[in-house]
Amino acid sequence: MSTATGTPSPGTSGALVPGGGPGAALLSLNNVEVIYDDVILVLRGLSLTVAEGQIVALLGSNGAGKSTTLKAVSGLLPSEHGEVTDGTISFRGEDITRVDAAQRVTRGMSLCMEGRHVFEHLSVAENLVAGAYTRSGKESAEDLDKVYEFFPKLADMRARIAGYLSGGEQQMLAIGRALMARPTLLMLDEPSLGLAPLLVQEIFGYIKRLNTETGLTVLVIEQNARRALEVADHGYIMEQGRIVLEGPAAELRENPDVKEFYLGLGEEGGRKSYRDVKHYKRRKRWL
Amino acid sequence: MSTFLNLLVYGLADGAILALAALGFVLIYKATSVINFAQGEFLLVGAYMFYTAFVVLGLPLVAAVLVGVVVATLIGVLVERFILRPMIGEDPISIIMVTIGLSMLLKALVQMFYGTSPKSQPAILPRSSVEFLGATVPLNRLLVILIAAVVLTAFTIFFRRSRHGIAMRAVADDQQAAMTMGISVRRIFALAWVLAAVSALIAGVLLADISAVDQNLAGFGLMVFPVVILGGLDSVPGTIVGGLIIGLLTQFVSGYQDPGLATVVPYVVLVLILLVRPYGLFGETRIERV
Ligand SMILES: Nc1ncnc2c1ncn2[C@@H]1O[C@H](COP(=O)(O)OP(=O)(O)OP(=O)(O)O)[C@@H](O)[C@H]1O
Ligand SMILES: [Mg+2]
């Protein structure tokens, strides 16, 4: 476990082996700085590494810059007047900092945006077809069957209009749609947002299965740190546009600070209300 | 009875052409949120491009249609690339002004190259009539209805089944999410303009064949507005129903009442329908849930 002190401290994950294979760095961000509208500095030298075959959790409070991080990785910043002004992002050993969003999908990364963003007026099947836009017709027909097999619920609802599905069903659809691009790296921005606890468990079950059964690498943002650290191999904690803490998920779970601020457990082990946590947060920051 | 049947056929033919013209308008609005005031001029330019290939250059019919399609495609791409793309992010009023400017530019270009007097073009569709339920109806109107129906069906299949058609609807729904699927939003915008220009070309050629190759083609295109507001700005089936309603209405009023009234009636109906259904008859209902 290492506590970063402003300067990036990669290497702790032991995931910087170049080249392919499990354990090698699939994605790495190096001192990335992001500015919106030319003035709003959101990421301040963020560095993180996602090793191939792992589930990596990115945690942090509201406004820390988690979504911005995923947008920077998937190339969505220009559509929001944002820009990577410093640092590099590399994927499979290639610098993709300036590559356009569509190209990044072709190279093997897929993002499931915060708030699901299914195509509301399209049917479930059409949503999935749209997800396979970068692939050939034959491949996508095969993948469609696989997604239906993986999410049997979606198969039953293939003709339904996506906008009328429940939140949990929409989340499955959003994940299924992202899988249709056949990514090597799947990025999920708060997949549990607005879902009942049982559904959250179901969604994380799916994420874990995807990782173990197909070797898919996953980078997931979560507010629910407990749930995320249960399934993740590695975790990063963000504050104000920087990584302030990182380590194997098992270690993070035991870290007293993490327990207190993110798992909602006080010294005595009892559950604290979110309000208390917020209050603490104001007094004591990570740095 | 025979008057009724004739008016019915004339109305359906007008309506079918209107539906084609309105289709392009709706595509552009749906995919790019731009209200294209130059849609009528697209009809005009399309008809003159075809006239140039068919009459001036003397190409065979099929080749002339292909040339028309290629030129329309080019116009669609150029308009999107050099006129609309630089306007992305500007406020809607400026964009409307730009499309009005575009409409004047296209009209002026046509006048500059071709003058203002009507051009004579040999009839493409047969001028004969057929007996139908005791009435004599012109064959060319029936063929216009048929051709428009085939083209509209082809477009519908494109949007329902093809990868690019679905991608276009995806962009219309949620641009950012579409980008995360690797869909190039710019390319989809260009595609929308191309399809609009091509459908307007077909509408323009059909219309010119049953009327004349002249400046009035753009005026007919103006009726696209009552059609799309009736059908809902963003609905493809709506444009078909809207087109047919306006087409039939103007023909019936003009046949049974008087032609002057017929030009006003679409707008009266338009206001009445808007009072009852603000999104038009088929406008997409905003899906609201958490
Ligand atoms: N398009 C934008 N333009 C300007 N500022 C933005 C934009 N998007 C995000 N921000 C700002 O950047 C900061 C980080 O936002 P971001 O969405 O990345 O946070 P987050 O960690 O994902 O938060 P949450 O947990 O609430 O989703 C916030 O202060 C936000 O106001
Ligand atoms: Mg977020």
Side-chain angles (χ1 to χ4, degrees), chain B residues 6 12-13 101 136 156 162 260:
Chain B
N6 257 297
L12 288 176
T136 316
T156 307
S162 88

Side-chain angles (χ1 to χ4, degrees), chain A residues 219-241:
Chain A
L219 172 57
V220 57
I221 291 183
E222 249 312 311
Q223 292 279 343
N224 187 336
R226 176 199 306 273
R227 188 75 62 201
L229 290 176
E230 268 168 24
V231 298
D233 299 299
H234 202 85
Y236 285 88
I237 293 175
M238 267 185 94
E239 281 283 348
Q240 298 189 326

Side-chain angles (χ1 to χ4, degrees), chain A residues 71 74-76 79-80 101-102 105 109-111 113 116-123 126-127 129-137 161 163-167 170 177-178 181, chain B residues 30 88-89 159-188 191 234 284-290:
Chain A
K71 283 175 192 164
S74 47
L76 291 185
S79 68
E80 295 197 0
V105 178
M109 55 168 73
S110 218
L111 168 68
M113 291 169 72
R116 309 188 277 267
H117 283 266
V118 296
F119 300 121
E120 293 190 334
H121 297 101
L122 272 60
S123 70
E126 288 169 339
N127 264 273
V129 171
Y133 183 75
T134 55
R135 315 188 56 77
S136 81
I161 295 300
Y164 294 116
L165 302 186
S166 75
Q170 284 190 353
R177 185 179 63 175
Chain B
K30 246 179 107 100
I88 289 178
F159 291 122
R160 295 277 147 211
R161 299 258 172 272
S162 88
R163 194 165 68 109
H164 292 284
I166 289 173
M168 230 173 133
R169 288 163 56 217
V171 167
D173 239 27
D174 191 327
Q175 270 179 35
Q176 241 195 356
M179 285 170 70
T180 68
M181 326 270 82
I183 297 171
S184 158
V185 173
R186 281 183 199 162
R187 219 179 287 166
I188 295 293
L191 183 61
D234 52 9
E284 265 176 1
T285 44
R286 313 256 171 309
I287 295 179
E288 277 179 34
R289 59 168 314 144
V290 219

